[in-house]
Amino acid sequence: MPNLYQGLNPDLWAILPEIIITVFAVVIIFVDLFTKGQRKVTLLPIVSIVGYLAAIAVCIWQFNDAGAITHNVNAFGGMVVVDNLGLFFKIISLATAMIAVLLSTLYIRERGMALGEYYAVLALATLGMMVTSASTDLTTLFVGIELMSISIYILTGFARTDKLSNEAALKYFLLGLFSTAILVYGMAWLYGMTGYTNLRQIGAVVAKITGGDITSNGGLTLAMLLLIAGLGFKIAAVPFHMWTPDAYQGAPTPVTAFMSVGPKAAGFAATIRIMVEAFGPAWHTWVPIIGVLSILTMTLGNVVAVAQRSVKRMLAYSSIAHTGYVLVGLASFTAVQNNQTQSISSILFYLFSYMLMNMGAFGVVVWVQRNGGTDFLESFRGLSTWAPGPAALMAAFLLSLTGIPPTIGFLGKYYVFIAAVNSNLTWLAVIGVLNSAVGAFFYLRIIWYMYFEEPAVAREPKPSPALVSVLTVSAVALVLLFIFAQPILDAARDSLPTITAALVAAVVR
């Protein structure tokens, strides 16, 4: 055990970021109970952000520790692990939550929503994402996914007086129950066929039973298909995407921003854990399935987004399309060590870049709504004439989502497509590029409305220093990280699950 851990309980050390978020969630509740008026309005976001920053600092500490990187500290009997893969996803989840708090500060207060409950449930949703990211056991994985999902259901319907929000929450909840049943059924089948709930032990059994040919075992094949379907709902992959447009449009816009990134990242963390660590030896069976899902997802997402007039609904279908792009990276996974590294690192880098550009785009929608507009295209008409700053920020976020240099969005797509090419999936990369061209239409259409249409109503912008500041920092980061992307890419490359190489090598031999 490295010196860093001496004197510390290894189990508690492993979940220290989660403990911090849990403590701060409780603190938020007490602050809400014992403070009133403007003091409450000011303290709650500050307490939330301090908690997220503290958890991020611990994650970076663990990430940089040679012991955590080399030995992958296991805790609670191997149910939780401290490894770079989980830590990278935790940092994305925490950063997403922190940006969501900054986007929510004025929005939630002005709409009369319960402040303490909102920030507490947001923290619990983040906690669920973190547990999911660190789980190497079906039991803890399910607990993390459900804590995240239930919290997001609540946040979706948090605008209790808004019928659209209530409808969105109900639809999301009912479809979520259905997907959970499929996911649990798949986990039950997997446990029944292998006798284990630990993903790495399951991987060893899969390699031993099937020799990598999972199709020779009907039970394992069924378990894998059920798990892909259940996880497909969490990441909004076609045909499991039905909940996304209504949930995104009906939820309070800061919640939409949060749920467009955080749960998606956690869903991919769970997908990587299960498909790579449990079914890694059978990669040649599930990779084609992921490839087909990728094509369906990015094609439907982009094509349907073209017809949308609501920017929130358009960004919902855009989110589906971006899930397809990330799946291109996962479909690039093969037995070749270099391809494994490119596959996983391209997913992580893409999700990190997606966090900045998508949260920023929704942040501008929040700003427009606060200034008397709606989420429909008409409210963006002529935005540059009376609010040049927010219009420029929105243009930057949309260009990055399109994948136009010099933005980090371009690098994100570049790395997933290169991973596909290096895995002899050039045709999949070509389909991805063509879909990006379709996506450019509806992104550039919003820019056209902002810069080349006359405003229906000229307004006087309300002061929103916190909101504009976080959007500006995000927009600047899109360009700076394009130039200085290497540290993030290196961190992503260090995050390949270490169990994979050994399992795949055993099957190849």
Side-chain angles (χ1 to χ4, degrees):
M1 187 74 66
N3 291 332
L4 183 60
Y5 303 125
Q6 287 183 358
L8 292 174
N9 183 304
D11 289 347
L12 295 181
W13 163 255
I15 62 168
L16 185 55
E18 288 85 347
I19 292 174
I20 290 172
I21 296 303
T22 304
V23 169
F24 272 89
V26 175
V27 170
I28 287 169
I29 294 172
F30 277 98
V31 170
D32 181 57
L33 285 174
F34 295 107
T35 58
K36 295 181 180 180
Q38 185 59 41
R39 182 177 175 81
K40 176 192 291 189
V41 172
T42 304
L43 275 178
L44 286 174
I46 293 175
V47 171
S48 298
I49 291 173
V50 169
Y52 295 132
L53 286 174
I56 288 174
V58 172
C59 287
I60 294 174
W61 183 17
Q62 292 175 329
F63 198 101
N64 289 331
D65 183 78
I69 293 174
T70 304
H71 302 299
N72 290 337
V73 179
N74 294 295
F76 298 99
M79 299 178 77
V80 174
V81 66
V82 181
D83 65 353
N84 285 359
L85 179 72
L87 291 170
F88 199 103
F89 275 112
K90 286 182 186 180
I91 292 171
I92 291 177
S93 298
L94 290 164
T96 301
M98 190 164 58
I99 296 173
V101 168
L102 293 171
L103 298 183
S104 304
T105 305
L106 296 173
Y107 186 98
I108 298 299
R109 182 186 65 186
E110 292 175 351
R111 282 160 177 76
M113 300 181 194
L115 296 176
E117 290 91 332
Y118 175 81
Y119 292 114
V121 174
L122 188 69
L124 293 176
T126 307
L127 176 63
M129 297 172 199
M130 296 169 69
V131 172
T132 301
S133 302
S135 297
T136 50
D137 191 278
L138 294 176
T139 307
T140 49
L141 197 64
F142 178 73
V143 169
I145 289 173
E146 283 308 289
L147 176 58
M148 171 190 73
S149 299
I150 293 171
S151 300
I152 295 296
Y153 301 152
I154 296 170
L155 289 172
T156 302
F158 211 80
R160 289 176 291 183
T161 58
D162 186 342
K163 292 183 179 179
L164 195 61
S165 179
N166 295 333
E167 179 186 349
L170 182 60
K171 289 180 178 178
Y172 190 11
F173 174 67
L174 293 176
L175 289 172
L177 290 180
F178 182 67
S179 73
T180 297
I182 294 175
L183 187 64
V184 172
Y185 194 40
M187 290 180 174
W189 265 101
L190 191 57
Y191 171 72
M193 296 304 301
T194 63
Y196 294 102
T197 58
N198 184 277
L199 296 178
R200 296 176 181 181
Q201 291 175 320
I202 291 172
V205 172
V206 169
K208 182 178 180 181
I209 291 178
T210 68
D213 182 16
I214 198 172
T215 57
S216 63
N217 188 301
L220 284 175
T221 302
L222 176 61
M224 183 187 71
L225 293 175
L226 289 170
L227 288 168
I228 289 175
L231 293 169
F233 179 91
K234 304 303 178 185
I235 61 177
V238 174
F240 315 107
H241 67 289
M242 300 80 69
W243 60 274
T244 311
D246 289 334
Y248 278 33
Q249 187 174 16
T253 306
V255 173
T256 306
F258 177 72
M259 65 195 291
S260 72
V261 178
K264 187 184 298 292
F268 271 106
T271 302
I272 292 172
R273 291 288 189 197
I274 291 176
M275 303 314 299
V276 172
E277 297 192 2
F279 291 104
W283 65 270
H284 57 275
T285 302
W286 57 260
V287 158
I289 298 174
I290 298 298
V292 171
L293 289 179
S294 171
I295 295 170
L296 293 174
T297 303
M298 57 186 169
T299 302
L300 183 139
N302 282 312
V303 170
V304 179
V306 170
Q308 304 305 311
R309 302 294 298 177
S310 165
V311 175
K312 284 178 70 175
R313 202 170 182 87
M314 182 274 289
L315 289 174
Y317 282 105
S318 163
S319 176
I320 294 170
H322 284 277
T323 294
Y325 299 137
V326 179
L327 288 173
V328 171
L330 186 58
S332 305
F333 188 89
T334 69
V336 180
Q337 179 70 27
N338 186 55
N339 289 351
Q340 294 174 21
T341 303
Q342 281 195 319
S343 170
I344 303 303
S345 64
S346 68
I347 292 172
L348 298 180
F349 189 90
Y350 196 103
L351 289 171
F352 182 85
S353 63
Y354 181 73
M355 171 192 68
L356 291 174
M357 52 196 181
N358 210 56
M359 293 291 287
F362 275 112
V364 177
V365 177
V366 171
W367 187 91
V368 170
Q369 289 179 322
R370 183 168 185 267
N371 284 274
T374 67
D375 63 295
F376 284 86
L377 273 173
E378 285 67 24
S379 292
F380 290 81
R381 193 186 300 274
L383 183 63
S384 63
T385 61
W386 62 277
L393 293 173
M394 187 63 162
F397 296 130
L398 293 174
L399 290 175
S400 187
L401 286 166
T402 306
I404 295 177
T407 63
I408 195 173
F410 168 78
L411 290 181
K413 288 187 177 179
Y414 171 79
Y415 287 129
V416 294
F417 294 157
I418 285 297
V421 170
N422 290 338
S423 296
N424 296 320
L425 295 174
T426 304
W427 57 271
L428 185 57
V430 170
I431 293 174
V433 172
L434 294 175
N435 269 282
S436 296
V438 175
F441 173 80
F442 53 82
Y443 292 131
L444 296 178
R445 181 171 62 178
I446 298 176
I447 296 177
W448 175 274
Y449 266 75
M450 292 191 301
Y451 282 93
F452 300 102
E453 296 281 348
E454 291 296 324
V457 180
R459 301 181 178 91
E460 185 66 28
K462 297 179 182 179
S464 307
L467 180 57
V468 173
S469 297
V470 69
L471 294 178
T472 302
V473 170
S474 298
V476 171
L478 294 180
V479 178
L480 288 181
L481 292 176
F482 174 84
I483 302 171
F484 304 104
Q486 198 59 46
I488 298 172
L489 186 59
D490 289 342
R493 285 173 176 165
D494 287 336
S495 301
L496 179 71
T498 55
I499 191 69
T500 304
L503 285 178
V504 175
V507 174
V508 172
R509 285 198 298 268

